[in-house]
Amino acid sequence: MSARASFAKMNGLGNEIIVADMRGRADRVSPAAAVALNADAATRFDQVMAIHDPRTPGTHAFIEILNSDGSSAQACGNGTRCVVQALAAETGRKVFAFETVAGILNAQEHADGTISVDMGVPRFGWRDIPLAEEFRDTRMIELQVGPIDAPVLHSPSVASMGNPHAIFWVDRDVWSYELERFGPLLENHPIFPEKANITVAQVTGPDALTIRTWERGAGLTRACGTAACAAAVCAARTRRTGRTVAVTVPGGGPLVIEWRDDDHVVMTGPAEWEFSGTFDPATGAWERDAEAVA
């Protein structure tokens, strides 16, 4: 059994997150440990954010991200907000730079407790998303669910926010679509060689969206930060909204997404601490910390 590591169970608008402190260690959170943690109702999660010692000068940590099925993820905006809140409480620092496999993420905790994360520059080229075949215009690609003459979902916008996203625009309430049925099929569609996050999005105002997301490697989630960012930039790109939108997710909201003039996407929203404990990064066996009594 490996030495136990500390963790915090947190959430960002219902996006269930485990922040694992792996600083000062050479090991990693194993896929088996992730699966075991997710199998326990108390520690069920959408992503593990494993904080490692920094690898690059000028950054504060390297963050490895795992999905609930043990697979790797490139980016997680809601999880990054949780990391910021945890480290800000520990260190008093308010501004952070984190390295991920998707690049450097800059983040800041504000006086009101909300946290902004610079999610970087969206990518729209078909090779960058990536797609399995060429589409010159990724504002709308040929992909549908249901009968050819009456598809249930069709013509999504696609983009990468460090991970691949497909946004299906719908006119009805997002809850009226069986995303739990369509999501797995679309996530694994051959057009997405690295799979994809699947979102249904409804424009509810000139600066407002409501979305639901089937998250690659995690399934239905109450919030997905990169999906909110992808939906926002695709809405602006297709002239459905302006470049700053409030995105409502099943876990609440809104997440405020600003697609700045320098092309960077900044997401602002809350994070919430639930409880802390220790766990074995190899097996996922865990214990909850004793609650402090006021």
Side-chain angles (χ1 to χ4, degrees):
M1 178 180 292
S2 59
R4 300 177 78 84
S6 298
F7 77 91
K9 177 68 170 55
M10 304 182 70
N11 77 81
L13 285 178
N15 195 176
E16 300 293 344
I17 303 295
I18 288 178
V19 177
D21 187 358
M22 301 297 288
R23 291 172 293 179
R25 306 171 62 107
D27 57 339
R28 301 163 60 188
V29 179
S30 73
V35 170
L37 285 165
N38 188 61
D40 189 320
T43 50
R44 188 166 295 145
F45 67 89
D46 298 308
Q47 274 78 38
V48 168
M49 308 291 290
I51 307 172
H52 292 267
D53 294 322
R55 300 180 181 180
T56 300
T59 63
H60 298 99
F62 179 87
I63 301 178
E64 185 175 29
I65 309 171
L66 287 85
N67 295 315
S68 56
D69 66 356
S71 63
S72 296
Q74 291 100 327
C76 178
N78 291 322
T80 301
R81 293 203 313 278
C82 292
V83 172
V84 168
Q85 188 186 82
L87 292 184
E90 173 193 309
T91 66
R93 177 184 292 277
K94 299 297 183 182
V95 177
F96 296 89
F98 300 125
E99 184 179 3
T100 72
V101 294
I104 304 296
L105 296 180
N106 294 293
Q108 178 178 1
E109 184 179 61
H110 303 292
D112 65 358
T114 62
I115 297 157
S116 293
V117 181
D118 182 344
M119 300 295 291
V121 177
R123 290 174 289 175
F124 303 112
W126 69 274
R127 290 186 180 89
D128 299 323
I129 292 170
L131 303 177
E133 61 185 78
E134 180 179 1
F135 285 89
R136 293 182 180 273
D137 187 352
T138 54
R139 289 176 295 183
M140 182 178 71
I141 69 167
E142 297 173 15
L143 180 63
Q144 68 179 44
V145 174
I148 293 177
D149 55 348
V152 178
L153 298 171
H154 66 91
S155 308
S157 302
V158 289
S160 171
M161 286 302 310
N163 49 7
H165 288 269
I167 312 297
F168 288 88
W169 303 105
V170 298
D171 295 324
R172 291 184 287 131
D173 183 270
V174 295
W175 292 94
S176 65
Y177 296 85
E178 295 181 290
L179 190 55
E180 65 278 6
R181 186 159 66 91
F182 303 136
L185 301 174
L186 292 166
E187 173 193 357
N188 293 284
H189 192 283
I191 195 64
F192 303 118
E194 296 180 9
K195 303 186 180 182
N197 299 274
I198 307 300
T199 294
V200 290
Q202 181 186 27
V203 178
T204 54
D207 58 358
L209 301 173
T210 298
I211 68 171
R212 287 179 70 211
T213 299
W214 176 273
E215 198 163 350
R216 178 185 65 166
L220 285 177
T221 182
R222 296 180 66 202
C224 176
T226 56
C229 293
V233 299
C234 288
R237 194 169 181 241
T238 56
R239 301 187 183 279
R240 289 176 163 90
T241 67
R243 292 175 70 99
T244 299
V245 297
V247 181
T248 299
V249 298
L255 283 171
V256 178
I257 311 297
E258 179 188 6
W259 189 12
R260 298 188 318 211
D261 290 340
D262 65 0
D263 255 3
H264 282 243
V265 180
V266 177
M267 175 183 62
T268 301
E272 181 181 10
W273 184 91
E274 297 178 16
F275 66 87
S276 61
T278 59
F279 80 112
D280 184 335
T283 67
W286 70 280
E287 292 180 358
R288 184 168 177 151
D289 289 342
E291 300 294 335
V293 178

